[in-house]
Amino acid sequence: MGGKHYAIVVGINPYYNSYIHNLNYAERDALELYGAMCRAGFTQVDLITRFSRRLEDDQVRVGSLVQYIDETIPNQRRNPEDIIWFFFAGHGKRTQDPNNQDRWEDYLLPYDAGLSPGQTWIQVRWIVEKLKETGSKNIILCLDACRQSNGRSIGEEALQGNYEGVITLFACDKRQESFEIEHPDIRHGAFTYALLEAINQKACYPTIRELSEYLSRRVPEICRKYEKPEQTPVFQVEGDLQWQVPALPNVELAADAVDLTVLVQQARSAENAAFDLLQDKYDVEKLEIAKQKWWTVLESDPTHAEAREEIEKIIKRITRRELDQLPGKEAQPQVYGDLNLVINAQVADLSGQPSIPLEVVSRAVEPPPAPPKPKPQPKPQPPDPFSGWSLREWTFETVRVDRRGEIVERLSKTAKSHFVDLGEGVQLELVAIPGGEFQMGSPKEEEKRDSDEGPVRTVTVPPLLVSRYPVTVEQWRRVAGSFPAVLNPKLKADPSQWKDAKGPVEQVNWFDAMEFCARLSKATNRLYRLPTEAEWEYACRGGTQTPFAFGETLTPELANYDGNYTYADGSKGEYRQHTTSVGQFPPNGFGLQDMHGNVWEWCLDDWYDSYENAPSTSEARFRNDNHSHAFNSAIKLNNYQERFFQEMVKVNNEQPKLLRGGSWFSNPRICRSANRRWWGADSIGRNLGFRVFVWP
């Protein structure tokens, strides 16, 4: 089957109705599955969560999701051989159809679902109809939507409908629950975690049969290991051929992976088709085809008794048809006598090339030619989140240090950058960094940590474009001095104490940084902004979980800070007592520089003194709900919106705002990746700067 693979992946954590409990990991399931499918080679994956910007909504509400299913899905025309996955992680329920009490239906629940079926529940059967309108004949419905108190259902019976012509993977049996695993090693639904494992080893599970066998074995193992009740996935597949549908793209189906039942059925059909009813005899050409198919069965299972028996019958039929056409009947008795010896010899050793002493039967007993090897297909590229940006690739070296600050590893890496022309030869470089998840905060055993750096939690971050350095003096001069004002026409064009054009701008408060972002956004019609606190820490760590992006300590050769102080077993060093030109120190694993020290960097968030009740996503945290709504609405559209900046700056001058990274004036403890500080929004200092982030 040479079709392409497509997917629609939906995940919903929060629910508006207080009687429907919120979920912990449905959105994480969806995001991780999105990434796994992209890496596996799916042609297109549509991710639908409250943060994915796929819907024009800040939540996965019934109206926006129904509109997507009703309008977008049918317009995505597919070929009959293409494979479409529809995955849903969230609440679901099986109950009576309100319009037909004699029929039970499966329903999926969006964010604003009510307590009973109706306009706010989405019927799975209707979704299937819309998926079929694409033209694909291979639809895989994958529903992790049966979670109860510790899981994803709000009723006594989990989803279990039967949908004609559709492969359906249910997370659990209809009398069970689908559990979420809270252990730090998992933090997923048990079913989706096993599905992710399988996709990441796709060569081992090429078809629906292998995939279902793995999930049937693995999901109960996970539940037993983490002391959850029994959970057994259920699979509904129509016919033997659907078991052979390629579950994942670009997997060459091995011969021993072919379903033997399908091969036997094909061989029987070919043999039946070989008999000509009108002429009351067998067609030799069609018998040859049937013999080859039975031979394939025997190659898959050398002990298959029916295959051996049918091959013997076919050899006799073909040979007798050949003999009937020979001139002269006197030679036939001797030929028939030798025939039994030939047949017995060939059927006894079906694994090799037969050697037949009689020329007349050579055609009847020779093995089928080996099937041609499939031509390798080019691997489809996963969707590129940066496809709308002009990027240049470059190489760099980052380092790892031990507790003493000695370099123990040098790593060569590549990154891609986009350059924004600010005029007069000044550019703003943005580095494309991949999305992912990380452990935010510091563990209790980290040296000299502060209590406000916890509790540690897993946070999911989307792909980002991040300025490679803090905004520099020359970049500030261009934007503040030449770009049209948005909120503050009195923005100082040259506020810094130190005038090094390549040095970071300083003596700018939070409001100043917001005005800079607003002007740049207006000029480019992109949403340039300050980072959320979670985005900043993810970017700073660069894929690490150590106290610093470079390892266990920091040295003055790696960053600009007060070298009179040390961390771990590091040594004292130079204290420069001022900012330094950006880019002097090594980049982190993402290619970003000056994340530790030089200047503190403003974040968008309000200050909270811990991560209690903080979300598992990278959204900003605000004490004002209007700010949260403005932020979530703006990132959906991801272009310049003056009202976003107007709403964001409606804060008191003394409002505590987040700062990250430390500065030239800080000791190394303060420069750790997890360290947090706050100053009032109108605070100005020789060590306060910022950098800009933008979603692609």
Side-chain angles (χ1 to χ4, degrees), residues 516-689:
F516 179 96
C517 293
R519 295 188 184 192
L520 184 58
S521 298
K522 185 175 183 179
T524 59
N525 197 30
R526 303 270 195 182
L527 184 58
Y528 289 90
R529 55 178 175 81
L530 295 177
T532 70
E533 185 182 19
E535 290 171 344
W536 190 96
E537 185 171 327
Y538 176 74
C540 176
R541 289 187 177 277
T544 67
Q545 289 297 146
T546 46
F548 304 90
F550 305 111
E552 298 296 332
T553 191
L554 197 63
T555 70
E557 289 71 41
L558 299 175
N560 179 18
Y561 65 94
D562 188 346
N564 292 316
Y565 297 89
T566 63
Y567 185 87
D569 298 330
S571 302
K572 293 183 179 180
E574 182 181 1
Y575 175 31
R576 298 175 178 87
Q577 303 185 52
H578 56 77
T579 60
T580 53
S581 298
V582 299
Q584 289 190 16
F585 302 101
N588 68 7
F590 286 150
L592 304 176
Q593 295 176 261
D594 295 279
M595 296 295 291
H596 298 299
N598 219 357
V599 290
W600 285 100
E601 298 182 13
W602 289 109
C603 293
L604 201 57
D605 307 53
D606 294 336
W607 167 261
Y608 287 79
D609 58 10
S610 80
Y611 293 139
E612 290 290 345
N613 301 316
S616 60
T617 58
S618 60
E619 64 185 281
R621 292 200 294 167
F622 301 105
R623 298 189 179 277
N624 186 324
D625 289 342
N626 291 336
H627 293 166
S628 298
H629 180 73
F631 174 78
N632 290 327
S633 297
I635 61 178
K636 301 297 181 185
L637 299 176
N638 202 27
N639 56 15
Y640 170 67
Q641 301 157 65
E642 188 168 326
R643 63 182 181 275
F644 164 74
F645 293 100
Q646 289 173 339
E647 186 63 41
M648 286 290 103
V649 299
K650 291 179 181 178
V651 299
N652 295 327
N653 291 346
E654 299 80 17
Q655 171 68 45
K657 286 291 184 179
L658 257 298
L659 286 158
R660 286 302 206 107
S663 76
W664 59 268
F665 188 70
S666 305
N667 67 55
R669 180 184 80 84
I670 303 300
C671 298
R672 288 175 302 116
S673 299
N675 186 257
R676 314 168 66 230
R677 287 291 185 270
W678 66 267
W679 280 24
D682 67 343
S683 299
I684 290 176
R686 295 178 300 166
N687 57 350
L688 300 185

Side-chain angles (χ1 to χ4, degrees), residues 385-386 389-396 413-420 427-435 462-470 475 528 535 538-540 542 587-595 691-696:
F386 304 103
W389 297 76
S390 174
L391 300 177
R392 300 181 203 166
E393 188 170 278
W394 52 283
T395 60
F396 64 92
K413 291 180 173 287
T414 61
K416 293 182 178 180
S417 292
H418 175 79
F419 295 84
V420 182
Q427 291 184 319
L428 173 67
E429 182 178 357
L430 302 169
V431 178
I433 67 174
L464 294 164
L465 287 150
V466 182
S467 53
R468 181 172 174 177
Y469 318 106
Q475 290 166 348
Y528 289 90
E535 290 171 344
Y538 176 74
C540 176
N588 68 7
F590 286 150
L592 304 176
Q593 295 176 261
D594 295 279
M595 296 295 291
R691 74 177 72 210
V692 296
F693 284 49
V694 61
W695 273 19

Side-chain angles (χ1 to χ4, degrees), residues 20 71 123 136 150 233 280 286 314 391 412 433 507 514 547 672:
I20 304 176
E71 298 178 5
Q123 192 180 93
S136 169
N150 291 324
D280 193 28
K286 292 182 179 179
I314 291 172
L391 300 177
S412 179
I433 67 174
Q507 296 203 128
M514 290 291 288
R672 288 175 302 116

Side-chain angles (χ1 to χ4, degrees), residues 267-426:
R268 289 171 180 167
S269 298
E271 190 170 354
N272 291 335
F275 187 73
D276 190 330
L277 291 174
L278 295 178
Q279 299 187 29
D280 193 28
K281 62 182 179 182
Y282 283 94
D283 184 300
V284 174
E285 296 288 342
K286 292 182 179 179
L287 280 174
E288 287 285 356
I289 295 173
K291 184 189 65 175
Q292 292 181 13
K293 290 187 178 295
W294 280 117
W295 203 289
T296 303
V297 173
L298 204 61
E299 288 174 343
S300 297
D301 180 7
T303 65
H304 201 282
E306 182 183 2
R308 297 174 64 85
E309 182 180 343
E310 294 304 317
I311 290 175
E312 184 175 355
K313 290 179 180 178
I314 291 172
I315 290 173
K316 290 179 179 179
R317 288 167 182 158
I318 293 175
T319 304
R320 289 191 174 97
R321 287 284 292 122
E322 295 282 1
L323 290 174
D324 288 342
Q325 298 175 11
L326 288 176
K329 303 295 183 181
E330 64 279 0
Q332 290 190 19
Q334 178 63 43
V335 172
Y336 278 113
D338 291 340
L339 174 62
N340 290 330
L341 296 175
V342 173
I343 292 173
N344 290 337
Q346 298 310 314
V347 175
D349 183 15
L350 290 167
S351 60
Q353 172 73 25
S355 175
I356 302 175
L358 298 177
E359 182 179 353
V360 69
V361 297
S362 63
R363 179 166 168 262
V365 294
E366 66 182 357
K373 293 184 178 180
K375 296 181 179 180
Q377 299 294 322
K379 183 177 179 180
Q381 294 299 312
D384 182 4
F386 304 103
S387 59
W389 297 76
S390 174
L391 300 177
R392 300 181 203 166
E393 188 170 278
W394 52 283
T395 60
F396 64 92
E397 181 183 83
T398 189
V399 298
R400 297 285 180 267
V401 298
D402 60 16
R403 288 181 54 85
R404 294 177 298 175
E406 295 183 358
I407 295 176
V408 295
E409 189 175 14
R410 295 183 181 274
L411 301 171
S412 179
K413 291 180 173 287
T414 61
K416 293 182 178 180
S417 292
H418 175 79
F419 295 84
V420 182
D421 185 5
L422 302 180
E424 296 186 1
V426 179

